[in-house]
């Protein structure tokens, strides 16, 4: 019997999250099914992070036990031939038989993406939350700095948590903007002008990325952080306000929970 | 009666291309239906570029005539409330009553995106063609330079064209690589090491962008250019070979037609 670890990337759009749910298609149910087809064994993977419905991943982790003769490194290729296009294995390897991805220290990295433009961009809609309200990235960065370190994040946790403690350590938060492809439209040119350059209408928009690294997160913590930083970015809250929100230990003080589609679990590291 | 121009962005994944087809959902059929719901008029939009099934757009152009009292600039907002999430209007304005988007000179800009990584990335699959074969961007750039200017692009045109001439002018081609988000996986850390940094497994991949600007394109021209540049990028063809491929005026000499999903019409400009 060997324990194999998978690095799993997926588009969460079509799934009811990671965790098994009766009668619903989840990342876990698809992995279990493909592993059964591949090995003939009834396999139940153990996931590192149970992402919510609609949340994406570039590198979630799952382990499972098998007696199959397939070399651990080959599971990635064998599974990818059976998996749907929106779930792919990026690496597979053998790990210690007693390794449990949720019973050891880990550092996770999440990205929350915001499409900040005058009009929604259809090709961005599945992986970035859209808002036409202009957001100030430098204000968001200043606010984010207050969230770094060990704090009681009760204000950034959905009420229905089962966590014993709401104290967590955030190692790093970075907020930056990436340019969106400019679009030259014909709009103004039709009015005729010698100076075409000046007449061009280009879509001036940006994609804002909030990248958070930390040792474990509370339920909806990153999405509530994103929702709060968006309130700061639009000028509704001053950056310093985040200090008071933390101190209040009250979910009502923080901003709304940002939509799932903008969230991607990008990386996972175990501290052994 | 006024003529209104729309700048249309869409995710082509779910549609059978732009052009009306009996019994099939197309971008054009959705626009006509929403305009009817909005104005009560039977409206048939005239599209500037009839993109193929699965091709995306950030800025395609459509015009239509209406007697509705809705201000031209307001059509974008009114239509976006009725349009599905994968089709959005980014601008609307009144244009000359005799303006026809296919009967006047224009400059189009297309982008072809290639996800070049060890494993497919589910969240990229709809908007970039995936290949695990490492592509050399500098070779692709050198090859692309031979395509700039006025040439007979017969070798880069699908056999079933109705074009009278296969001579076209390409104003500019640029090829560059954008980094993909690195993913920290737990892989090697489980083997234990004092030097964790060195042990990190990060996804080293890139997204290659081929940006082509020109005055009109032949059927599948950009996708055949992309397919040919990929052959150069993988070392199968030397960059100079593109000169001979052009001279041959023979579709068989060029590379394969790259898949539709990687192609996006990013901009449109009329020369009036």
């Amino acid at each position: 019997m060997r324990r194999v670890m998978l690095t799993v990337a997926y588009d969460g759009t079509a799934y009811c999250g990671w965790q098994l749910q009766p009668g619903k298609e989840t990342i876990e149910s698809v992995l279990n099914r493909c592993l059964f087809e591949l090995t003939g064994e009834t396999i139940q993977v153990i996931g590192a992070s149970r992402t919510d419905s609609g949340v994406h991943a570039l590198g979630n982790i799952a382990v499972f036990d098998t007696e199959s003769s397939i070399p651990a490194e080959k599971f990635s290729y064998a599974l990818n031939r059976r998996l749907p296009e929106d779930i792919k294995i990026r690496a597979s390897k053998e790990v210690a038989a007693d390794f449990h991805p949720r019973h050891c220290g880990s550092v996770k990295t999440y990205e929350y993406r915001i499409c900040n433009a005058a009009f929604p961009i259809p090709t961005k809609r599945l992986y970035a939350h859209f808002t036409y309200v202009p957001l100030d990235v430098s204000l968001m960065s200043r606010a984010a700095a207050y969230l770094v370190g060990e704090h009681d994040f009760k204000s950034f946790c959905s009420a229905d948590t089962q966590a014993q403690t709401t104290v967590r350590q955030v190692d790093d938060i970075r907020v930056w903007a990436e340019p969106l492809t400019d679009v030259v439209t014909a709009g103004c040119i039709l009015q005729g002008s010698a100076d075409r350059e000046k007449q061009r209408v280009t879509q001036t928009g940006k994609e804002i990325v909030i990248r958070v690294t930390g040792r474990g997160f509370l339920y909806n913590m990153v999405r509530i952080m994103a929702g709060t930083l968006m309130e700061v970015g639009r000028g509704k809250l001053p950056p310093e306000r985040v200090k008071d929100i933390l101190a209040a230990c009250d979910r009502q003080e923080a901003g709304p929970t940002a939509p799932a589609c903008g969230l991607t679990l990008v990386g996972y590291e175990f501290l052994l």
Side-chain angles (χ1 to χ4, degrees), chain A residues 11-32:
Chain A
D11 175 340
T13 306
Y15 299 95
C16 299
W18 174 278
Q19 199 165 4
L20 281 181
Q21 290 180 64
K24 289 184 172 170
E25 193 79 319
T26 66
I27 309 297
E28 204 174 347
S29 67
V30 174
L31 289 173
N32 291 345

Side-chain angles (χ1 to χ4, degrees), chain A residues 75-147:
Chain A
F75 268 99
S76 54
Y77 301 95
L79 283 169
N80 282 341
R81 276 193 292 274
R82 297 165 181 278
L83 284 164
E85 292 242 295
D86 53 6
I87 304 178
K88 291 295 167 195
I89 308 302
R90 293 170 73 163
S92 60
K93 73 187 308 291
E94 185 165 355
V95 293
D98 64 349
F99 173 71
H100 188 299
R102 292 199 305 274
H103 296 168
C104 65
S106 65
V107 177
K108 295 184 204 179
T109 302
Y110 285 97
E111 277 183 5
Y112 195 89
R113 292 186 170 261
I114 303 155
C115 178
N116 193 198
F119 289 96
I121 300 176
T123 51
K124 294 277 180 187
R125 76 191 190 286
L126 301 175
Y127 312 113
H129 166 58
F130 169 78
T131 179
Y132 63 84
V133 182
L135 300 177
D136 182 322
V137 172
S138 60
L139 290 176
M140 294 168 76
S141 297
R142 279 171 48 202
Y146 293 108
L147 297 168

Side-chain angles (χ1 to χ4, degrees), chain A residues 35-186:
Chain A
L35 280 164
F36 173 74
E37 291 170 11
L38 183 63
T39 65
E41 302 170 294
T42 301
I43 288 174
Q44 167 86 62
V45 301
I46 303 169
S49 182
R50 298 168 175 151
T51 54
D52 282 338
S53 180
V55 173
H56 317 291
L58 293 178
N60 203 346
I61 299 292
V63 301
F64 64 92
D65 297 322
T66 178
E67 295 187 330
S68 139
S69 61
I70 300 169
E73 290 67 22
K74 293 272 180 282
F75 268 99
S76 54
Y77 301 95
L79 283 169
N80 282 341
R81 276 193 292 274
R82 297 165 181 278
L83 284 164
E85 292 242 295
D86 53 6
I87 304 178
K88 291 295 167 195
I89 308 302
R90 293 170 73 163
S92 60
K93 73 187 308 291
E94 185 165 355
V95 293
D98 64 349
F99 173 71
H100 188 299
R102 292 199 305 274
H103 296 168
C104 65
S106 65
V107 177
K108 295 184 204 179
T109 302
Y110 285 97
E111 277 183 5
Y112 195 89
R113 292 186 170 261
I114 303 155
C115 178
N116 193 198
F119 289 96
I121 300 176
T123 51
K124 294 277 180 187
R125 76 191 190 286
L126 301 175
Y127 312 113
H129 166 58
F130 169 78
T131 179
Y132 63 84
V133 182
L135 300 177
D136 182 322
V137 172
S138 60
L139 290 176
M140 294 168 76
S141 297
R142 279 171 48 202
Y146 293 108
L147 297 168
V148 176
E150 187 176 86
H151 302 286
D152 186 335
F153 285 97
K154 198 166 192 308
S155 299
F156 294 87
C157 177
S158 287
D160 56 350
T161 182
Q162 295 121 20
Q164 296 95 326
T165 168
T166 49
V167 174
R168 291 290 185 276
Q169 168 161 340
V170 169
D171 297 331
D172 186 43
I173 305 186
R174 287 190 304 124
V175 184
W176 69 89
E178 299 176 351
L180 292 169
T181 302
D182 279 351
V183 181
V184 178
T185 71

Side-chain angles (χ1 to χ4, degrees), chain A residues 245-267:
Chain A
I245 294 172
L246 273 171
C249 288
D250 174 3
R251 171 69 187 90
Q252 299 311 312
E253 293 296 307
T257 304
C261 69
L263 187 63
T264 301
L265 174 62
V266 299

